[in-house]
């Protein structure tokens, strides 16, 4: 069992590849579809995801794993092929989002805790049967506005770290590699140094909780935010500063036994997400593989290109393949704005 977990964690971190996060919950995919005036029906959701999963060259080249929502793990393509089969055929490992979203944390106004632990062992056993080999659970840590240092509280960070460790231990018990995702949000007016401070405190609590709950770090993957200026901060840090501070923060908090760190994009533009990852890989030696697990930064372009019309399928696939390849290059520190323009 340990060997299998370590192997899957290593496969997820294969050099030159990263993860496609296609695990939007029903509410989130509706929001994305609203943005392109497409109705969020089961068939439309299936068609859209089938289109991504049939972009097989790009998947084989650059996407080691795909995170799915419960519905998608059970769906079949229009021709009856299970969607997970499309992924396996392209050499991508299917994974599953297992959390039930962030809810108000009792006694901590303005803070959230992620729920979904009840009945999780049984759900995990079923997900394994359905073909999933890794899990993802997202904790959400907000940073108080206007310099309010009460948020996040030690209680809020601790409750989320505890839940992440519970799900990680259960996932490993069921043979699934946990992707541990503590997301410090980039919403807000805080500067990059406040983001550094909160991210460091969060990651340290998370690794303490994983240790206490006997999680095998070699069989796990971390999905963190990058260290960034808040979206509403007047002083926006540049690419080099983001890369340097993100790597420094991770080095303080993440044990080197973790094989891979795959960043979320979290509201960065497509190019920012790629440029930041590239700068880290080009400029720093790190004990872990540094890659991506992007949702929006891989899907914004194909969603726009698709717009709900089957005729636009090839254009949407080209847009997705392009972003996958650009981010694949960024995992090797070999991306550039010139390549971006040349391909466009
Ligand atoms: P974004 O890259 O859009 O932040 O999504 C990644 C993800 O899976 C969030 O849980």
């Amino acid at each position: 069992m340990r060997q299998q977990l370590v192997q899957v964690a290593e496969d997820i971190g294969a050099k030159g590849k990263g993860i496609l996060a296609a695990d939007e919950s029903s509410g989130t995919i509706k929001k994305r579809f609203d943005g392109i005036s497409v109705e969020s029906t089961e068939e439309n959701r299936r068609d859209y995801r089938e289109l991504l999963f049939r972009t097989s060259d790009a998947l084989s080249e650059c996407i080691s794993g795909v995170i799915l929502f419960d519905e998608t793990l059970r769906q079949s393509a229009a021709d009856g092929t299970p969607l997970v089969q499309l992924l396996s055929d392209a050499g991508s490992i299917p994974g599953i989002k297992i959390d039930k979203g962030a809810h108000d944390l009792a006694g901590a106004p303005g803070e959230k805790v992620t729920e979904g632990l009840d009945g999780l062992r049984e759900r995990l056993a079923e997900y394994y049967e359905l073909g999933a080999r890794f899990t993802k659970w997202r904790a959400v840590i907000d940073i108080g506005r206007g310099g309010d240092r009460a948020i996040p509280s030690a209680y809020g960070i601790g409750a989320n770290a505890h839940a992440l460790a519970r799900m990680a231990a259960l996932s490993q018990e069921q043979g699934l590699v946990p992707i541990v995702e503590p997301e410090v949000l980039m919403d807000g007016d805080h500067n990059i140094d406040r983001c550094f401070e909160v991210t460091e405190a969060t990651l340290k609590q998370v690794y303490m909780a994983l240790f206490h709950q006997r999680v095998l770090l070699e069989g796990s993957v971390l999905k963190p935010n990058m260290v960034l200026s808040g979206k509403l901060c007047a002083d926006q840090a540049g690419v080099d500063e983001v890369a340097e501070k993100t790597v420094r923060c991770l080095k303080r908090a993440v044990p080197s036994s973790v094989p891979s760190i795959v960043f979320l994009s979290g509201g960065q533009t497509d190019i920012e997400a790629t440029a930041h990852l590239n700068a880290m890989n080009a400029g720093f030696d790190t004990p872990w593989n540094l890659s991506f697990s992007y949702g929006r930064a891989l899907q914004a372009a194909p969603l726009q290109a698709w717009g709900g019309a089957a005729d636009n399928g090839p254009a949407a696939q080209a847009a997705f393949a392009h972003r996958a390849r650009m981010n694949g290059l960024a995992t090797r520190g070999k991306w550039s704005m010139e390549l971006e323009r040349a391909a466009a």
Side-chain angles (χ1 to χ4, degrees):
M1 176 80 99
R2 288 169 72 94
Q3 194 43 46
Q4 186 193 323
L5 292 169
V6 170
Q7 187 61 51
V8 171
E10 263 177 34
D11 293 345
I12 289 174
K15 200 64 217 160
K17 296 187 180 186
I19 295 176
L20 164 65
D23 60 324
E24 297 81 7
S25 61
S26 312
T28 303
I29 195 73
K30 181 177 182 318
K31 211 160 69 186
R32 303 273 185 269
F33 278 14
D34 283 349
I36 52 168
S37 303
V38 170
E39 199 189 338
S40 182
T41 61
E42 185 178 347
E43 194 179 344
N44 284 340
R45 292 191 292 273
R46 193 275 312 275
D47 288 350
Y48 171 64
R49 284 162 172 154
E50 178 177 352
L51 170 167
L52 294 178
F53 303 166
R54 284 195 190 275
T55 312
S56 38
D57 288 354
L59 285 183
S60 302
E61 244 177 78
C62 318
I63 304 293
S64 56
V66 178
I67 316 173
L68 306 171
F69 188 55
D70 182 282
E71 173 185 89
T72 319
L73 186 66
R74 304 170 191 278
Q75 271 175 329
S76 292
D79 69 0
T81 314
L83 292 181
V84 283
Q85 183 68 44
L86 297 183
L87 297 179
S88 304
D89 290 349
S92 292
I93 307 168
I96 180 79
K97 170 208 202 65
I98 57 170
D99 67 73
K100 298 212 160 168
H103 296 262
D104 289 344
L105 177 63
E111 293 187 83
K112 305 267 187 202
V113 67
T114 302
E115 296 186 357
L117 291 168
D118 287 356
L120 184 55
R121 174 176 281 127
E122 291 71 27
R123 285 202 287 134
L124 293 172
E126 188 194 9
Y127 288 147
Y128 191 97
E129 286 302 311
L130 289 168
R133 288 296 175 269
F134 67 93
T135 62
K136 187 202 86 169
W137 176 290
R138 172 173 177 258
V140 180
I141 307 291
D142 198 14
I143 298 182
R145 307 294 185 270
D148 169 14
R149 296 186 66 84
I151 293 179
S153 64
Y155 162 41
I157 293 174
N160 276 290
H162 187 265
L164 279 165
R166 292 273 324 269
M167 83 79 194
L170 278 164
S171 294
Q172 292 191 335
E173 179 197 83
Q174 297 300 318
L176 294 152
V177 169
I179 296 194
V180 176
E181 180 181 10
E183 175 175 3
V184 176
L185 296 176
M186 67 183 290
D187 307 339
D189 55 3
H190 55 273
N191 64 20
I192 187 170
D193 293 321
R194 177 69 179 141
C195 178
F196 185 112
E197 184 177 52
V198 172
T199 303
E200 181 182 0
T202 300
L203 292 173
K204 285 185 167 162
Q205 285 299 321
V206 167
Y207 280 97
M208 189 54 78
L210 292 173
F211 168 66
H212 282 147
Q213 296 191 41
R214 307 175 183 176
V215 172
L216 177 72
L217 295 187
E218 293 86 345
S220 75
V221 172
L222 175 68
K223 174 164 174 166
N225 53 283
M226 295 182 192
V227 174
L228 301 166
S229 315
K231 262 191 182 160
L232 303 174
C233 179
D235 180 18
Q236 289 290 314
V239 173
D240 292 343
E241 186 177 358
V242 168
E244 191 274 322
K245 288 188 172 165
T246 302
V247 170
R248 183 143 52 96
C249 185
L250 293 170
K251 282 188 172 172
R252 284 189 185 180
V254 185
S256 54
S257 51
V258 173
S260 254
I261 297 179
V262 295
F263 294 100
L264 57 98
S265 61
Q268 302 176 60
T269 66
D270 298 359
I271 300 286
E272 281 167 356
T274 307
H276 289 148
L277 178 63
N278 185 69
M280 286 182 233
N281 280 306
F284 300 87
D285 281 328
T286 60
W288 346 263
N289 177 54
L290 286 185
S291 184
F292 59 91
S293 174
Y294 294 159
R296 283 162 285 179
L298 280 170
Q299 291 189 61
L303 257 179
Q304 280 299 326
W306 176 59
D311 288 353
N312 295 334
Q317 288 181 320
F320 171 55
H322 173 61
R323 287 265 47 88
R325 293 203 169 99
M326 292 297 110
N327 286 304
L329 288 168
T331 66
R332 300 178 186 275
K334 301 216 173 305
W335 170 87
S336 70
M337 214 41 217
E338 288 67 45
L339 284 170
E340 193 75 52
R341 287 197 201 96

